[in-house]
């Protein structure tokens, strides 16, 4: 049995579906407790990572767990979360971390993830770390302005990053949870090419079949919007990556193809698959 935290999100939903397709029993954990998939091998369980004891019913008897923490996880007692899983019988742990845990380990935004990685590595469990870079699904933030005025508002219009498709993250997570050969590995997950917000706008316009305008925001404008759904430290760390990425943060990684045996999806692939959300 495999436990998935964050089971109703952009990564959790396809991960649960992929594991069920593979024939595994899956416990889908969310605060609401709703299973993201109507499938006889999937059960939804309500738990809150902020209250590690609430996880016990979800992890009891499980073999493996996918751990996704909200934000940087700095507000959580991750030692108790991992201990609760281990005490219940979990022996394989896959952590969704971030490339920023390596490139910005000393920052307020990514330092807690760097510490969590160390805690996972020292847990005594069989572990794998997944380090995605920028997410293609961050473009969902553009839905209101694309629907209302066929416009994308974003900062740093010509700074390119190799955004990763959450579907690829989910499929890599499924492989590392269910298959042997990934213990002690850290995989950097990126798309196949670095793509700027202006180029992503063009790809989204092609997927929708309508022209889209691109309006470049200032850092201050972007920060004000992001503060509505992210803590300030995470916003500042995210803007630093978007605006002044390191060379490592702009590199394309081969790890998705290494694990899955196929190339990573492009941003254009993601845009075509999700065009309906933008009114396409």
């Amino acid at each position: 049995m495999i436990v998935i935290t964050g089971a109703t999100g952009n990564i959790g939903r396809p991960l649960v579906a992929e594991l069920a397709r593979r024939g595994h029993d899956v416990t889908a954990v969310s605060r609401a407790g709703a299973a993201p998939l109507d499938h006889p091998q999937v059960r939804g369980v309500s738990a809150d990572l902020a209250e590690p004891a609430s996880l016990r019913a979800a992890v009891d008897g499980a073999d493996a767990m996918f751990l996704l923490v909200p934000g940087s996880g700095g507000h959580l007692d991750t030692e108790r979360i991992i201990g609760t899983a281990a005490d219940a019988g979990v022996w394989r742990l896959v952590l969704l971390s971030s490339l920023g845990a390596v490139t910005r380990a000393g920052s307020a935004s990514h330092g807690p993830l760097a510490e969590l990685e160390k805690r996972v590595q020292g847990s005594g469990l069989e572990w794998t770390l997944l380090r995605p870079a920028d997410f293609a699904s961050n473009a969902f933030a553009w839905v209101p302005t694309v629907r209302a005025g066929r416009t994308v508002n974003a900062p740093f219009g010509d700074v390119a990053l190799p955004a990763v498709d959450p579907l690829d993250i989910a499929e890599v997570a499924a492989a590392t949870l269910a298959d042997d050969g990934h213990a002690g590995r850290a995989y950097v997950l990126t798309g196949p090419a670095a793509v700027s917000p202006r180029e992503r706008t063009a790809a989204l316009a092609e997927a929708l079949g309508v022209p889209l305008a691109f309006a470049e925001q200032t850092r201050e404008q972007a920060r004000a919007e992001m503060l509505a759904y992210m803590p300030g430290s995470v916003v500042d760390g995210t803007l630093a990556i978007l605006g002044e990425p390191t060379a490592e943060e702009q590199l394309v990684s081969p790890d998705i193809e290494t694990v899955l045996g196929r190339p990573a999806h492009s941003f254009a692939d993601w845009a075509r698959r999700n065009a309906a959300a933008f009114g396409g």
Side-chain angles (χ1 to χ4, degrees), residues 259-274:
V259 175
L260 300 181
R262 62 158 178 81
H265 291 120
S266 67
F267 181 83
D269 293 330
W270 179 89
R272 284 189 290 270
R273 203 173 63 251
N274 291 279

Side-chain angles (χ1 to χ4, degrees), residues 12 61 88 94 96 144 222 229 251:
V94 175
L96 183 71
Y229 53 89
L251 285 177

Side-chain angles (χ1 to χ4, degrees), residues 12-277:
R13 285 180 180 274
L15 173 53
V16 169
E18 174 63 14
L19 289 170
R21 186 192 67 80
R22 284 168 165 248
H24 296 282
D25 292 324
V26 182
T27 297
V29 178
S30 66
R31 279 179 290 184
L37 179 70
D38 183 12
H39 192 282
Q41 289 177 262
V42 177
R43 67 171 182 139
V45 174
S46 175
D48 188 342
L49 292 181
E51 299 176 8
S54 70
L55 273 175
R56 185 60 199 234
V59 297
D60 191 33
D63 302 297
M65 182 170 80
F66 176 73
L67 179 58
L68 184 160
V69 298
S72 64
H75 61 296
L76 300 175
D77 187 345
T78 51
E79 186 171 359
R80 282 190 63 203
I81 292 170
I82 295 169
T84 298
D87 290 345
V90 170
W91 55 271
R92 176 176 287 175
L93 180 62
V94 175
L95 172 68
L96 183 71
S97 182
S98 167
L99 180 57
V102 176
T103 59
R104 300 173 189 264
S107 69
S109 58
H110 291 85
L113 279 175
E115 291 303 312
L116 177 52
E117 285 195 0
K118 293 177 185 176
R119 194 161 288 135
V120 167
Q121 290 170 312
S123 66
L125 304 179
E126 181 182 297
W127 56 266
T128 305
L129 306 178
L130 306 184
R131 293 173 176 155
D134 186 34
F135 288 78
S137 54
N138 288 342
F140 280 136
W142 303 343
V143 166
T145 57
V146 169
R147 281 181 170 267
R150 298 303 187 193
T151 300
V152 167
N153 300 324
F156 316 119
D158 297 305
V159 179
L161 291 168
V164 62
D165 187 333
L167 180 60
D168 286 339
I169 300 174
E171 292 190 15
V172 170
T176 56
L177 286 161
D179 302 335
D180 295 330
H182 303 287
R185 301 291 300 273
Y187 294 117
V188 175
L189 308 181
T190 74
V195 187
S196 70
R198 201 180 303 275
E199 291 167 331
R200 296 181 203 192
T201 300
L204 182 57
E206 183 174 351
L208 293 172
V210 298
L212 296 178
F214 179 80
E216 185 159 4
Q217 293 177 311
T218 66
R219 180 188 291 264
E220 292 71 26
Q221 288 170 331
R223 187 176 192 275
E225 284 191 6
M226 294 165 70
L227 283 172
Y229 53 89
M230 287 185 190
S233 63
V234 176
V235 170
D236 292 334
T238 300
L239 287 171
I241 292 172
L242 295 177
E244 299 92 26
T246 66
E248 188 173 357
E249 288 164 349
Q250 291 183 298
L251 285 177
V252 171
S253 168
D255 288 352
I256 287 176
E257 186 163 8
T258 297
V259 175
L260 300 181
R262 62 158 178 81
H265 291 120
S266 67
F267 181 83
D269 293 330
W270 179 89
R272 284 189 290 270
R273 203 173 63 251
N274 291 279

